Amino acid sequence: MISLQQVSKSFGPPNNRFLAVDSVTLSIEEGNIHGIIGASGAGKSTLLRLMNVLERPDSGRVIVDKRDLTGLGNRQLREARRSIGMIFQHFNLISNRTVGGNIVLPLELAGVPKKERLNRMEEYLHFVGLWDKVDQYPAQLSGGQKQRVAIARALANRPRVLLCDEPTSALDSVTTSGILDVLRHVNERFGVTVVMVTHEMNVVNRICSHVSVMDNGQLTETNPVEVHTND
Ligand SMILES: Nc1ncnc2c1ncn2[C@@H]1O[C@H](COP(=O)(O)OP(=O)(O)OP(=O)(O)O)[C@@H](O)[C@H]1O
Ligand SMILES: [Mg+2]
């Protein structure tokens, strides 16, 4: 589903380049929940942003759902990104839009007709258990509820892949459990391939099918996760 082939990304001025992602090759099969773990500054977020080409690689190829994203122009890329959802540690909801408004906005931008927008908003708010909050504003929600709204918003575009950058790092352990359950349901019910950056091994052990370790811009190992714990 996702194939990175010798992908590199560096930042900074020409005389002081910093290699954040160093020739990473990684293959993630459809339907997997793939964890990426590593120390702060290892390049995890950059690697995730390379998967939907929010960061353009300096070299290498990024192939998602059989499409080479590195060869696409900006317009084609925007369209291809609709099949790749993303959620973040700090939720990134729009504060002056209601819960419902947050979910329909990307659909408006994608040109989805109004009736279909409202149908999908209702479907995915029910899925994350927050239909009763449709008219509330993000400031009125708890952290866990905000992340559920962000998940519903990502799902409304019917993505094939969901990229998650530390989605539970701002949440307590009980709330974290609930969000991990939602992500597992997303994977099982809709067959969405999930890639999750985390610094917590217990998150990996809870839901991931595979895990890669990142160190200093390099992927040092990738392994299946055998045992799933419940805590
Ligand atoms: N836009 C940017 N401009 C300059 N440097 C950047 C940029 N994005 C990332 N970096 C640098 O690249 C390195 C990797 O950053 P990245 O955010 O990918 O790490 P991370 O593993 O996600 O860390 P954390 O666990 O703290 O989130 C860091 O040294 C960071 O300072
Ligand atoms: Mg990060």
Side-chain angles (χ1 to χ4, degrees), residues 37 168 172-173 176-177 180 184 196 198-208 211 225 227-231:
I37 199 159
T168 61
D172 64 51
S173 63
T176 291
S177 271
L180 295 180
R184 187 189 289 138
M196 186 159 55
T198 176
H199 58 259
E200 292 167 281
M201 201 57 203
N202 58 349
V203 166
V204 168
N205 288 332
R206 267 289 303 269
I207 69 162
C208 290
V211 62
V225 178
V227 187
H228 285 151
T229 56
N230 288 317
D231 48 31

Side-chain angles (χ1 to χ4, degrees), residues 25-40:
T25 294
L26 173 65
S27 186
I28 298 176
E29 300 296 318
E30 181 165 9
N32 284 357
I33 303 182
H34 196 106
I36 296 170
I37 199 159
S40 184

Side-chain angles (χ1 to χ4, degrees), residues 11-12 18-21 38-47 55 89 165-166 197 199 214:
F11 297 107
F18 178 81
L19 191 54
V21 170
S40 184
K44 306 180 297 296
S45 295
T46 305
L47 187 71
E55 300 286 2
Q89 179 175 1
D165 196 350
E166 310 225 24
V197 166
H199 58 259
M214 218 178 167

Side-chain angles (χ1 to χ4, degrees), residues 138-202:
Q140 298 171 287
L141 305 179
S142 70
Q145 289 170 337
K146 286 180 198 168
Q147 194 61 290
R148 284 170 190 259
V149 173
I151 292 169
R153 177 176 62 180
L155 290 178
N157 261 321
R158 307 246 161 100
R160 307 286 304 126
V161 172
L162 183 62
L163 305 177
C164 312
D165 196 350
E166 310 225 24
T168 61
S169 294
L171 306 175
D172 64 51
S173 63
V174 174
T175 312
T176 291
S177 271
I179 293 297
L180 295 180
D181 286 343
V182 173
L183 291 174
R184 187 189 289 138
H185 289 151
V186 167
N187 172 257
E188 288 171 357
R189 164 115 173 248
F190 305 113
V192 170
T193 304
V194 176
V195 185
M196 186 159 55
V197 166
T198 176
H199 58 259
E200 292 167 281
M201 201 57 203
N202 58 349

